[in-house]
Amino acid sequence: MKRHGAAAITTNRIAEVAGVSIGSLYQYFPDKKSVFHALHERHVGDVRNMLERHMAAHKSSSFSELVVDLVEELVDLHSVDAPLHEVISASVNEGPEHFRHALRAVFEPAIAQRGPENMHRILFVLPSLVEGVVHGAALSPFTIREAKGEAVKATLAYLSAHPELGR
């Protein structure tokens, strides 16, 4: 894909690069979309595992510290093979929805313990914001450091509008 673009991704090319016969590929994956779906599911699993580790490591952190560190780590994770990730996400119907759902599951208990009245609105906006800035930063023309900085600024700007979340 890096050399020839997304249009060059075919089941024959996937089998060739994977070093398996096309018959072996078709034994497990009936088409290219099912390969993308499996890759997407693996990525979602990697994100969920990272989120679980992140939550365990930030039990005593402020909400802002938790979110900022999470955004930085997610940008790093999504920056690895970002163009391939973009093609896979675009090819899978669930796309970013799995990611937003996983983020919501992380944010919900942390926000609930702070008890804001508008928790449902925050739980709608914050996962969508983080999903957008993380995927945008991973594909940006900036260095990873610059992209993470901008993603963090956007997230902190939203959090600053909600002082009830605590710093």
Side-chain angles (χ1 to χ4, degrees):
M1 185 183 117
K2 287 180 182 176
R3 280 181 268 154
H4 305 289
I9 300 175
T10 64
T11 51
N12 284 323
R13 186 71 180 125
I14 292 169
E16 179 185 330
V17 170
V20 299
S21 71
I22 190 68
S24 292
L25 180 74
Y26 282 133
Q27 183 177 2
Y28 296 98
F29 303 102
D31 54 26
K32 176 172 63 173
K33 186 169 180 143
S34 64
V35 172
F36 288 160
H37 186 74
L39 289 170
H40 179 72
E41 287 300 316
R42 184 172 69 181
H43 173 69
V44 168
D46 290 345
V47 168
R48 283 196 177 114
N49 290 336
M50 189 275 302
L51 291 173
E52 289 172 13
R53 286 190 313 274
H54 189 80
M55 289 304 294
H58 285 82
K59 285 187 185 263
S60 62
S61 299
S62 72
F63 189 71
S64 291
E65 289 172 326
L66 171 121
V67 174
V68 165
D69 288 348
L70 181 64
V71 167
E72 289 179 340
E73 197 167 342
L74 286 167
V75 170
D76 286 338
L77 180 69
H78 284 83
S79 295
V80 177
D81 290 326
L84 179 60
H85 174 74
E86 181 181 31
V87 168
I88 291 168
S89 290
S91 300
V92 176
N93 291 337
E94 300 85 22
E97 188 56 38
H98 278 133
F99 187 44
R100 284 191 298 270
H101 181 72
L103 289 170
R104 183 182 171 101
V106 167
F107 294 145
E108 190 164 14
I111 292 171
Q113 72 183 6
R114 288 160 174 82
E117 289 180 20
N118 55 355
M119 182 172 134
H120 295 294
R121 277 186 279 155
I122 294 169
L123 283 172
F124 171 76
V125 173
L126 188 58
S128 296
L129 172 76
V130 170
E131 182 269 324
V133 298
V134 164
H135 286 117
L139 293 168
S140 78
F142 309 116
T143 67
I144 295 299
R145 183 176 175 194
E146 292 168 332
K148 279 197 283 192
E150 294 304 312
V152 165
K153 284 179 200 172
T155 306
L156 286 174
Y158 178 75
L159 293 177
S160 72
H162 294 283
E164 70 273 19
L165 293 175
R167 300 283 171 218

